[in-house]
Amino acid sequence: MSITLNTTMSSIMTNKRRVGALKSLGVVTVGDALTYYPFRVADPVPLRALREARIGERMAFSASVRGMRVVPMNVRRGYRLEAVVDDGDFAVSRHIAGAAARLVFFSYKKQYVDWLSMRLRSGAIVVIAGEPSEFNGQLQFTHPEIMTVAPGSGPADGEYSGVVQMSALKYDADTVEAGLRRISRPRPVYHASSRISSEHIHESIVQCIELLAGTGQDLPGDAATEAPQTMKPMEDGGISGAGTAPADAESRSGNAVAVGLARAIPDVLPESVRESNHLLHRAEAFLAIHDPLNTADFKRAIGTMRYEEAFVSQTALLQSRSNVRKDAALPCAGVALRDRFIESLPFPLTGGQREIIDDIGVDMAREYPMQRLLQGEVGSGKTVVAVAAMLQAAGSGHQAVLVAPTQVLAEQHHATISAMLCAIDSVETGDDPSRDALSPNDPADLIKAAESAADDGDAKGRAAVKHPVKHSGARSGKQDGAAHAQSDANTRHVPVILLTGGMKLAARRRALALAASGDPCIIVATHAAFSKTFQAPNLALVVIDEQHRFGVEQRESLRTKNDVVPHLLVMTATPIPRTAAMTWFGDLDISWLTELPGGRKPIRTFIVPEDDGRMMGSMFAHIRGRIDAGERAYVVCPRIDADDESDGDDDTSGASQIGVYDDSDTYRRESANTTTSAPSQEDGDGAPSRPPLHSVAEIERRLSSLPQFRGIRFATLTGRDDDATKQQVMADFADGATPVLVATTVIEVGVDVPQASCIVIFDADRYGLSQLHQLRGRVGRGGTDSWAFLISRAEDGGPAQQRLQVIQGTLDGAQIAQADLEFRGAGDVLGDAQSGGKSGLKLLRVVKDAKIIADARERAGRLLADDPDLSGEVELAGAVLDFTRGNETFLTSS
């Protein structure tokens, strides 16, 4: 049977339990096995004679078997195998007197005991590695690794006395020296599971390597396989330890395996790239990773595969970017309406906004689709940039759609954009008395400008602009959705259509009909834009807000609805370091808005220990003072209810999903409302349980009973609330009827109340830094002083406390994102779909490997410039194709 990287493990491994265990780890093919990398390599095992043994410290030695017996265990069932070994000859080579020790194995299976008995027959030469212990005054090794040595290989006289020929047994090493080198070498350590140990993973991978090289035997089956454990056999039934170790080190040093492996595994990297970076051949790297001679070789091999991942991924991204230019797009060269809009704004644009708007204008005027990522802090003016781009599309006679992750945010965008367009009328008619008094990018002031420009007779339209949350969406009575579908009642230029899943059927049909007409317009939508019923035949621009909240398939559905591919602008306020953005969004042009508009005051952030009663009381008194001054306060909790273990914040935004750190400071993503029990005893793994996360219901009840909040009305908001309730709650909060809002993280995106000056975040030590930064951005939006209070139960000086100190010490989203990636890793910051968690990347680290990524991107760019189709690099072309086909979630816009 010819073995390749695509050969399935089930076709070469007869042990079905081990096949299933490997499959649960994602190892299905031989290629999967070779790319299941160890996370570290164990230190070499020191060689010691038995008289040099140190209890509890692993050691290796050679010995001859002096006697062996199998004892049935009637009480516990199964068998106990005991073998007495003598290291006399090995000890002499170390100038020490020899000694004896006992090897002990336990098993339920007679078949395994018989197989082991044959290996440990009296007179056999073995090499042993294990951890010594003492039992009844005698040195003992329980379940050590053993390697059998071919007879006639004694270190002293060439042959141990009394060696028994075992022709039926395949020896693991030809000489004692080779066996000692093999068993004492650094051992890779893999992420294992309860179904399969690291040793068995290592054994399976090494034997896959041998099969590829043409030097190995079939992988172990059930016939003679069982890895021992104390008092019970292993569940997967694999061969124990080094008992079936591959060919000895001497054969490997002679390149028998390496040469055969090189024939089976061609190199992916171009030879010039590999040589200039002093990298190993791919086959050499696999061998050095899974069967290292020393730690230096292991590190070099890991570096080789890490660079390969960087090179393949960057080549794929650059090719994807190049291929997009072959698609046809609707050129949008009309900038007159856009320029009138900019002139009508009641504030000057920042330098960054002007530069990005110009860049987008140039991109959209081309006949191939723009692909741009716009990253900016909360309040940096991304919406103004997006509106300018959409007006360029509409002014060119086409349609544009803005997709928001929540209905609340879509309604806010709809109202704000309508207000901005109304201001164009004010400038053209000269009726703009309050323009100079408005603050930059303040939605409240923009809405105020729209009110002054609105038709006095259109009271309904004016009310919809004044209270967008209260009057938009699916409402009762006369609000049939016409205000959503025909927003041009307040602007002569471009209709602004609202399309959400919560709209009534008649309003939804009207909005869909207006979009399907193909007339120039701006469509503000939620996930409803991804439905099959949404058709926009003249669509020239797609703007995705908070892009990380949408799946790739959803974004792609908009790009493939028509024959021409629309221009794409994706926006995010989640800070992503440049190296990460270059990795995950390498097929996009990237723009950063780092300059905040004038008038903003920095948010003062405080860490408040929850058990500090005095500080907690002072905080609540301060908040009461701000409320009495006409301001508002958010209180954020990670759960909805205290008692319901199954509750979940089902808001479509996904904002209810928080990152929760466990007691080992390991970040795990779970529902914001997952109940965490607080048992009095430790969990089974020995880690103490943390107290339960605070809930909205609990905190609302506790705060409303405090004397500091006597006479203050509270409101609650969670993802369980229906749309009408959410709208009413937010309207009451904005109006001041309920100046304190206790909510889950549903407010993380899409809530803009300029009067809000305080935010209290309970269990802040259990959130990721980027999410804390987003939540903190809910305040300080009205130009007033603002405060953020992080309520923590973290230990002083611990990792959780260090994370909070990062938030307290800076308002720079880039610094926070960098720290968050270092604390948590890319998987939790960017989401698994864009982190490598579900991609082909297994070794590349977006923060630590920034130089590798940059170098790989530069070299890949030069290669593609000379050979765009990679016709001269067949293996690289195949790797790029495999990567692209298997990683649609990685290529965010391909």
Side-chain angles (χ1 to χ4, degrees), residues 177-239:
E177 290 84 353
L180 288 172
R181 283 196 301 268
R182 171 70 193 164
I183 208 165
S184 63
R185 281 161 62 176
R187 189 65 56 89
V189 182
Y190 301 82
H191 288 291
S193 69
S194 60
R195 300 178 61 185
I196 187 169
S197 66
S198 175
E199 272 300 324
H200 294 134
I201 295 171
H202 178 237
E203 173 190 296
S204 299
I205 294 174
V206 169
Q207 293 190 12
C208 284
I209 289 176
E210 289 197 327
L211 287 174
L212 276 172
T215 62
Q217 304 292 326
D218 289 340
L219 291 178
D222 295 318
T225 60
E226 178 182 297
Q229 281 187 342
T230 304
M231 304 308 298
K232 67 176 183 178
M234 288 293 288
E235 292 297 323
D236 69 18
I239 296 177

Side-chain angles (χ1 to χ4, degrees), residues 603-685:
I603 304 169
R604 283 170 279 188
T605 306
F606 297 90
I607 302 172
V608 181
E610 188 172 343
D611 57 2
D612 190 334
R614 171 178 286 186
M615 188 176 292
M616 292 282 287
S618 298
M619 177 189 68
F620 291 134
H622 171 80
I623 293 173
R624 175 58 187 264
R626 304 320 305 164
I627 292 173
D628 291 341
E631 297 169 7
R632 316 281 187 270
Y634 297 106
V635 179
V636 179
C637 305
R639 286 195 302 157
I640 298 177
D641 296 330
D643 301 323
D644 185 359
E645 296 189 4
S646 63
D647 63 9
D649 204 343
D650 297 326
D651 183 40
T652 58
S653 71
S656 61
Q657 298 294 316
I658 70 168
V660 179
Y661 285 86
D662 62 24
D663 290 289
S664 62
D665 203 51
T666 298
Y667 187 87
R668 54 192 175 86
R669 202 155 181 86
E670 62 181 32
S671 172
N673 310 291
T674 301
T675 300
T676 305
S677 60
S680 58
Q681 298 180 352
E682 292 185 340
D683 294 333
D685 60 359

Side-chain angles (χ1 to χ4, degrees), residues 686-708:
S689 296
R690 282 188 132 175
L693 299 171
H694 289 297
S695 68
V696 168
E698 167 210 355
I699 293 300
E700 189 275 335
R701 183 176 62 254
R702 287 171 54 185
L703 295 187
S704 60
S705 64
L706 292 177
Q708 292 95 330

